[in-house]
Amino acid sequence: MTTGLRAAIRVARPSFEIDVQLDLEPRKTLALMGPNGAGKSTIVHAIAGIQHLTAGQISLNGTVLSGPGVHLPPHRRAIGLLGQQPRLFPHFDAAENIAFAARAAGLSKRAAQQVAHDWLERLGLMAFATQRPAALSGGQQQRVALARALAAGPKLLLVDEPFSALDVQAAVEMRELVREELSRTGTTAVVVSHSGADALALAERLLVIERGVVVQQGHTRQVLAEPATEFVRAVANSVPAGYESEPEKRCSP
Amino acid sequence: MTAQVDVGTRAPSLVLLPAVLAVALLVLPLMALLTQASWSTLWADVTSPQALQALGLSLRTGLLATVLCTLLGVPLALLIARSSPHVAQVLRALVAVPLVLPPMVGGVALLLLFGRTSGIGQLLEQLWGFTLPFSTAAVVMAQMFVALPFLVLTVEGTLRTSGAAYEQTAATLGAGRWMVLTRISLPLAAPGLLAGMILCFARALGEFGATALFAGNAPGRTQTMPLAIYTAFNGAGAGRESAVALSLLLLAAAVLVLVCLRAWRPGALK
C-alpha cells in the first residue's frame, strides 16, 4: 500500500491554473511557500476537501480522497487544519473545544474530557480550562487550537500560517510547540508559511510555488542555499544569520 | 452633554421637518391610545370574561403557531442558508411573499385550499370528519402563514453569517453533519433563533386579516385579541373600553418584543 500523501492538484482560477504535484512520506513535514496569491491556500483547501479539483487526484495512505468522480467530504478525510485564525468555538470553553475534537473522533464523553484534560496539562493551560476563547490571548488560543486539531487524531495536519497573526515572541513559542508536538505525535504535516525560519524549523522538505506551479523543491536547507527565483532568494535572505534548523531531530522513526 | 461636532456627516436641515412628521405619524396614535384609555377601569376591562377569553385564545394559538413555525421554519432556514446562491434567492423570495401580501389575500388563499369545496378540504372531511376553516386550528394556520417568514428569514440570516467558518473547522476535526448542526450551527444561531421566535410570536399575536377570513370571529373558538378589538369597536361583544384596554395590552406586548430583541442581539448580554 502506498503510504503518505500523494497529490496531483489542478484547480482552475480566474487568472491562472494551479498545477502542482506533491508527495509526502508519513511522519514527515513539508513546507509550502510562495508569494501572496500563488495558490498555497487553494492547495491546502483542496487537500482538506474544502476545494474541489478541476483535475488530478489526492490520496492519503492509499485512500483516494479526491479524484475523478470522488470527493470525500472534509469530515471523512482525517485531515486537520490549523489556520491563521484559531477559530475556537466561541460557545465552548478551552477544555470543551479540545473535547469536541476527541468526541468527533469517536471517543466517549468521559474519554474525550480526559483527552482535553491531558492536552491542557501538557500545554500548561489548565488554569484556562474553563475560560471561553474571548478570555484567552492570541497565543493561548492558537495553542488550544493546535491541541484541538491533534486531539482529533489526524492522519495529516495542514498548518496554514498559524503564526502570522501572533506577536514575535508568541509566534516563536508557537512554532516551537508545533515542532515538538508534530515530533511527539508523529503527525505528517504540510506547513504553509512566509517565513524561511518556520520552514527551516519545521520541515525537512520545502516546495515553492509561484503562480500555481512548482518553481523549486528539495531539502529545505538546500533550497534556501541555492535559490532559483527572486522570491526564494528573498526568503533565504530573511532567515537570521546562523539560524539552525531542528527538524532533522524528528527524521528518525 | 457634548455638542455634536460637524465632521461632514450631519444630515441637511431640510430633512428635519419630514423626519419629525414621520415620527409624529408613528408616535401620536399610540399617545392617543395611552391618553384616552380609561385607566380607572383598565384592570376590569382587561379581565372581563370576553377579554380574557380572547387573550387566552391569542396566547394559546400564538404560542402553538410559534412552536410549529420553529419546527418547520428552522429546517427551511437551514436549507436556504446552505443552498447555492441562486436556489437560496428563489426560496427566500417565496418565503417573503406573505410579508408583502395583504393578510386578507392569505385568508382567501387558505380558504380556497382547505375549504369544503377543495380537494384537501373534502379529504380531511372524509378521512377524519374534520373541517379546518372556522376552527381554532384555522386560527393557528392563519397565524403560521403570516408569521413563518419572520422566523425563517431571521434564522436564515443568522445561520448564513454566524457559523460558516466554525462549521468548516468542525468538519476538519472529523465532526459529521449532524454533530456540526446540533453542537455548532444551532447553538451559534441561538440569538437569531430566539429573535425569530419572538418576532414570529408577535406577528401571530397581532394577526387579523387572514384569521378573519379563514377562521371567522367566534368568541372562545376563533376570536383572538385583534378580532375582539375589531368587534368591540363595531358595538358587539366587549365594550369600547375593553377594545382600548386590549389594544394597550398588544402595545405593551410589542414594546416587550422590542426590549427582548435588543437584549438578545449578539453580545448584548455580555
Side-chain angles (χ1 to χ4, degrees):
Chain A
M1 189 180 78
T2 319
T3 55
L5 176 71
R6 302 277 174 272
I9 297 169
R10 283 180 68 179
V11 178
R13 298 220 313 192
S15 48
F16 57 85
E17 186 183 58
I18 292 168
D19 187 354
V20 168
Q21 177 138 6
L22 58 90
D23 298 314
L24 181 58
E25 298 303 316
R27 302 171 65 90
K28 294 288 173 69
T29 297
L30 172 78
L32 183 59
M33 299 187 82
N36 286 334
K40 304 184 296 291
S41 289
T42 306
I43 290 170
V44 163
H45 288 168
I47 298 171
I50 298 164
Q51 167 78 52
H52 280 262
L53 296 183
T54 313
Q57 181 169 298
I58 300 170
S59 64
L60 183 62
N61 298 340
T63 306
V64 177
L65 309 177
S66 300
V70 181
H71 184 86
L72 225 57
H75 69 273
R76 291 179 55 202
R77 294 187 173 223
I79 293 178
L81 177 58
L82 183 65
Q84 187 175 345
Q85 301 299 326
R87 283 189 188 161
L88 296 181
F89 305 127
H91 56 303
F92 290 159
D93 63 32
E96 287 167 340
N97 262 282
I98 301 170
F100 177 89
R103 285 284 278 163
L107 294 190
S108 69
K109 192 173 177 183
R110 186 181 290 268
Q113 284 169 341
Q114 186 59 46
V115 166
H117 179 272
D118 293 348
W119 269 108
L120 288 168
E121 205 162 45
R122 175 166 184 77
L123 300 188
L125 289 170
M126 271 312 285
F128 303 99
T130 55
Q131 298 281 335
R132 294 277 177 97
L136 305 178
S137 71
Q140 288 163 344
Q141 287 187 35
Q142 275 296 22
R143 283 152 75 189
V144 175
L146 173 68
R148 183 179 65 173
L150 290 173
K155 291 176 184 157
L156 173 70
L157 184 66
L158 302 167
V159 185
D160 190 2
E161 300 192 49
F163 321 120
S164 57
L166 301 176
D167 63 59
V168 177
Q169 181 63 28
V172 170
E173 286 172 10
M174 184 66 194
R175 185 174 70 202
E176 183 59 21
L177 185 68
V178 168
R179 194 184 64 76
E180 278 175 19
E181 291 304 326
L182 288 179
S183 173
R184 187 180 71 84
T185 57
T187 306
T188 314
V190 175
V191 178
V192 175
S193 177
H194 275 298
S195 154
D198 287 349
L200 280 168
L202 296 169
E204 296 86 359
R205 293 185 64 80
L206 170 61
L207 188 140
V208 184
I209 59 165
E210 291 183 26
R211 286 186 66 80
V213 294
V214 177
V215 292
Q216 196 174 359
Q217 61 179 314
H219 288 288
T220 309
R221 186 161 290 281
Q222 191 181 354
V223 170
L224 294 180
E226 298 163 16
T229 70
E230 281 305 309
F231 172 77
V232 184
R233 195 182 317 281
V235 170
N237 289 339
S238 72
V239 178
Y243 188 88
E244 290 299 323
S245 63
E246 294 289 336
E248 284 78 4
K249 285 180 183 173
R250 61 180 291 246
C251 286
S252 52
Chain B
M1 202 175 86
T2 49
Q4 192 186 348
V5 181
D6 187 354
V7 290
T9 55
R10 281 172 69 173
S13 312
L14 263 179
V15 305
L16 194 62
L17 183 63
V20 169
L21 283 175
V23 171
L25 183 70
L26 296 174
V27 173
L28 286 182
L30 301 180
M31 295 295 288
L33 202 59
L34 287 170
T35 53
Q36 300 210 9
S38 170
W39 291 96
S40 56
T41 60
L42 188 73
W43 182 246
D45 290 332
V46 170
T47 54
S48 72
Q50 294 99 325
L52 278 180
Q53 204 171 44
L55 179 64
L57 184 69
S58 274
L59 289 176
R60 283 197 307 277
T61 54
L63 282 172
L64 184 59
T66 305
V67 169
L68 292 173
C69 280
T70 306
L71 291 176
L72 300 179
V74 171
L76 176 57
L78 195 71
L79 192 74
I80 299 173
R82 298 292 171 266
S83 296
S84 66
H86 181 70
V87 174
Q89 208 171 7
V90 172
L91 287 174
R92 221 176 281 131
L94 277 177
V95 171
V97 168
L99 285 180
V100 290
L101 196 72
M104 287 278 186
V105 179
V108 172
L110 286 168
L111 206 52
L112 289 176
L113 182 67
F114 294 108
R116 280 183 164 173
T117 53
S118 73
I120 295 177
Q122 286 176 352
L123 196 69
L124 286 174
E125 198 154 1
Q126 280 168 11
L127 287 178
W128 295 292
F130 175 65
T131 311
L132 185 58
F134 308 109
S135 66
T136 306
V139 174
V140 176
M141 188 156 270
Q143 289 174 339
M144 284 177 70
F145 182 80
V146 297
L148 187 61
F150 286 88
L151 186 124
V152 173
L153 296 178
T154 310
V155 176
E156 190 261 325
T158 312
L159 280 171
R160 191 158 30 88
T161 54
S162 72
Y166 295 111
E167 288 166 7
Q168 212 167 62
T169 301
T172 63
L173 292 168
R177 291 194 180 110
W178 189 250
M179 188 178 182
V180 172
L181 175 69
T182 54
R183 301 218 43 212
I184 305 296
S185 315
L186 291 180
L188 285 178
L193 176 60
L194 198 72
M197 287 173 75
I198 291 169
L199 278 172
C200 178
F201 178 66
R203 181 64 191 90
L205 212 59
E207 165 36 37
F208 174 79
T211 312
L213 271 167
F214 185 47
N217 188 14
R221 197 152 55 93
T222 65
Q223 190 179 76
T224 54
M225 276 208 283
L227 283 152
I229 294 168
Y230 178 75
T231 309
F233 266 100
N234 280 342
R240 187 176 180 277
E241 292 76 17
S242 284
V244 174
L246 283 174
S247 301
L248 278 175
L249 212 57
L250 282 179
L251 176 63
V255 171
L256 194 66
V257 163
L258 289 178
V259 170
C260 287
L261 286 179
R262 192 164 173 75
W264 274 94
R265 271 201 329 225
L269 291 181
K270 282 177 191 165

